[in-house]
């Protein structure tokens, strides 16, 4: 990957309004104005082939499209991409490969990428997600860095910063937020990227796209999500090379099993001064505290 | 649909454990036992064709498979089905049509159902759901009954009952709950079906399957969900013929627009004695209250 992929890709910046106002009636019979999250269909075309329609808040549609293609392993590097053009008039995003632009031959003709459409898995993260290809097979080839452990001090600082960022959620609700945070250098604990979307996986995919556009690596980062720690969340985090995953929600069995397999450092139920460390214990440094008791509580 | 579809379909009852126990470390450094939601892959075969793999809690896998096929319009009536057999050893559910059982010819050979695999839409309810076929085109043909209005009195009773039902959520978190409630007769406000799953859409699909298995119609029912009021939620509710949709969460723009189009009665932010009525006002009866002011609050 090049240092500055952004400048090499022809990009629109087609952000649209994140909230709309509607009228509702409350329990007192009062007519009130309420802000709801915007939600727009965006059909993704890759080298002129229609892939699927995403429903999105529409804040960063170019990064969403790129990140979706990245997380589905349809693109292996931002260097493969020539252009990402969003047109809200036609509710579409057209992604063009350098191969097509430079040779006139699409990736569908030159590669075996079409075969990945054969395998569908519906994930439960949130319902029924689509994963083309077999992401699970990628996991065995993935090793996460141990060079950047997380301390509870940095965790608390991060949670505090995330709380201040959640603008659309506070305004309109019904969105999921994701953040990419630094875990090294002077800006350790800082939020580098923050994305909200009506779909949690859209938010993750948008972060993945932005990481490529901005040339950011995963090893010294922390991934924060407001959503549950599901298998798909863990897998996507691993594919971005991020060793540490943090959520204010709980986890599912598959998310737990995959994080264990990957030896990812995963924390959930992070709220206020509370958290639970589920996996990857050796990458987490805790301040010395009172000696341990053995108790039971909710995941 | 017959009165007693249940007896005509050969069914397994392959419920599996809903929670598993893991060990975590809390912020005090204590090692604690936590319960997490079970999550199991279940590959759906319909007339020997592999359709997809669902990730599920596994509480009612037969109803989930039937409801998934119903909500994707792959099956039009439970009378079309001869058998639903779940085998957790192979993590699979095999659904067999009467056509195949009685004539040896599968529905794939006799109908044009294969064509619905051509169209994929990724919904944002929760991320990236799969909807085969174009459910949106069904909406124009849907008319929801006005025979059973909802009163705030029944709404409050229902919310109270739902709270007591949420067992797995209370125990392990990370699941969504859905309930089918009566809105007629002596048991008005009662919960008829309650389903929790790691995926919200799994919970909805399981209710749809149970409605067919138990011969329940939608017109005099209320659908309750813990999740957000997304387009997919509204569409599925409408396809089940249920005119009233209630959530303790908020709504998305597409959910709102489709509910408006359907004139569905939709309420969100239902917690304690609070709620917001978004659409389908004439199907909702409110107790006389103090006169109205015009204020602004979150959706």
């Amino acid at each position: 990957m090049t240092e500055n992929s952004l400048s090499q890709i022809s990009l629109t910046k087609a952000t649209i309004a994140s909230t709309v106002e509607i009228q509702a009636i409350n329990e007192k019979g009062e007519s009130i104005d309420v802000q709801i999250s915007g939600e727009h269909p965006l059909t993704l075309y890759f080298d002129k082939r229609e892939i699927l329609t995403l429903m999105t808040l529409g804040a960063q549609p170019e990064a969403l499209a790129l990140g979706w293609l990245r997380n589905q392993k349809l693109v292996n590097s931002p260097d493969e991409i020539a252009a990402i053009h969003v047109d809200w008039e036609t509710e579409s995003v057209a992604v063009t490969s350098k191969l097509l632009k430079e040779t006139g031959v699409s990736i569908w003709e030159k590669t075996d990428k079409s075969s990945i459409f054969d395998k569908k898995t519906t994930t439960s993260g949130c319902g029924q997600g689509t994963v083309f290809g077999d992401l699970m097979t990628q996991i065995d080839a993935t090793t996460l860095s141990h060079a950047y452990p997380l301390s509870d001090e940095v965790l608390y600082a991060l949670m505090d910063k995330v709380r201040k960022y959640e603008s659309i959620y506070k305004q309109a609700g019904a969105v999921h937020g994701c953040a990419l945070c630094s875990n090294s250098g002077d800006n350790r604990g800082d939020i580098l990227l923050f994305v909200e979307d009506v779909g949690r996986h859209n938010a993750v995919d948008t972060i993945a796209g932005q990481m490529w556009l901005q040339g950011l690596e995963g090893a010294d980062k922390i991934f924060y999500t407001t959503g549950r720690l599901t298998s798909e969340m863990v897998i996507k985090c691993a594919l971005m090379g991020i060793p540490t995953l943090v959520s204010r929600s709980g986890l599912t069995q598959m998310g737990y099993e995959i994080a264990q397999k990957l030896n990812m450092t995963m924390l959930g139920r992070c709220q206020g001064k509370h958290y639970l460390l589920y996996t990857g214990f050796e990458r987490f440094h805790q301040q010395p505290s009172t000696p341990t008791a053995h108790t039971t509580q909710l995941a």
Side-chain angles (χ1 to χ4, degrees), chain A:
Chain A
M1 190 169 65
T2 59
E3 269 295 295
N4 191 358
S5 306
L6 182 57
S7 61
Q8 300 183 9
I9 301 177
S10 167
L11 284 175
T12 51
K13 280 194 91 174
T15 297
I16 48 173
S18 291
T19 60
V20 292
E21 191 171 280
I22 64 161
Q23 290 227 328
I25 293 170
N26 71 9
E27 69 278 0
K28 297 174 195 150
E30 298 167 343
S31 172
I32 59 169
D33 302 325
V34 292
Q35 298 286 330
I36 64 172
S37 305
E39 187 180 28
H40 310 277
L42 182 69
T43 301
L44 171 59
Y45 295 83
F46 186 28
D47 277 7
K48 301 181 191 298
R49 178 172 178 163
E50 180 179 339
I51 310 290
L52 86 171
T53 301
L54 297 155
M55 298 298 303
T56 177
L57 193 70
Q60 301 178 43
E62 297 83 6
L64 169 61
L66 181 62
W68 191 91
L69 291 171
R70 177 184 182 177
N71 281 339
Q72 302 296 331
K73 308 299 272 183
L74 275 164
V75 176
N76 297 313
S77 158
D79 295 339
E80 295 175 14
I81 302 300
I84 308 172
H85 290 176
V86 171
D87 177 7
W88 285 117
E89 284 296 310
T90 57
E91 295 175 336
S92 66
V93 50
V95 180
T96 308
S97 70
K98 277 191 187 155
L99 186 71
L100 180 61
K101 193 191 168 201
E102 289 166 9
T103 69
V105 176
S106 82
I107 61 134
W108 309 113
E109 293 164 85
K110 271 283 182 182
T111 67
D112 63 348
K113 287 183 198 283
S114 288
S115 67
I116 64 162
F117 287 97
D118 298 342
K119 193 147 187 173
K120 278 186 283 292
T121 299
T122 281
T123 54
S124 54
C126 52
Q128 293 163 354
T130 310
V131 181
F132 294 115
D134 198 352
L135 290 182
M136 292 295 285
T137 59
Q138 310 269 353
I139 285 182
D140 294 323
T142 303
T143 307
L144 296 171
S145 169
H146 278 77
Y148 304 93
L150 175 65
S151 69
D152 51 5
E153 198 179 358
V154 172
L155 177 68
Y156 289 139
L158 182 161
M159 283 157 60
D160 196 48
K161 283 171 188 157
V162 161
R163 215 174 39 239
K164 292 168 186 161
Y165 254 84
E166 296 176 278
S167 52
I168 298 162
Y169 184 80
K170 281 179 192 151
Q171 205 181 336
V175 295
H176 284 288
C178 281
L180 185 75
C181 310
S182 168
N183 194 24
S184 68
D186 290 342
N187 64 350
R188 185 175 282 207
D190 281 4
I191 295 173
L192 307 175
L193 301 171
F194 190 85
V195 178
E196 289 174 312
D197 206 310
V198 280
R200 174 177 50 204
H201 295 298
N202 286 348
V204 185
D205 290 343
T206 303
I207 296 247
Q210 284 292 2
M211 285 174 74
W212 266 5
L213 289 173
Q214 301 184 23
L216 300 171
E217 296 295 337
D220 61 343
K221 305 296 187 301
I222 304 156
F223 195 91
Y224 174 88
T225 171
T226 59
R228 292 173 297 157
L229 299 163
T230 63
S231 52
E232 195 164 350
M233 193 61 66
V234 174
I235 291 168
K236 286 186 174 177
C237 208
L239 292 177
M240 293 186 269
I242 303 171
T244 304
L245 175 57
V246 171
S247 171
R248 69 168 171 223
S249 298
L251 82 169
T252 69
Q253 186 179 359
M254 287 290 286
Y256 177 69
E257 287 170 1
I258 297 169
Q260 267 193 317
K261 194 170 176 182
L262 284 160
N263 200 21
M264 179 181 283
T265 296
M266 190 168 70
L267 299 104
R269 302 281 165 203
C270 298
Q271 298 214 44
K273 289 282 177 190
H274 300 287
Y275 63 82
L276 289 176
L277 173 63
Y278 299 124
T279 54
F281 296 172
E282 72 284 5
R283 210 185 276 105
F284 190 75
H285 293 176
Q286 209 164 30
Q287 301 280 32
S289 178
T290 47
T292 66
H294 193 86
T295 56
T296 297
Q297 75 178 70
L298 296 185

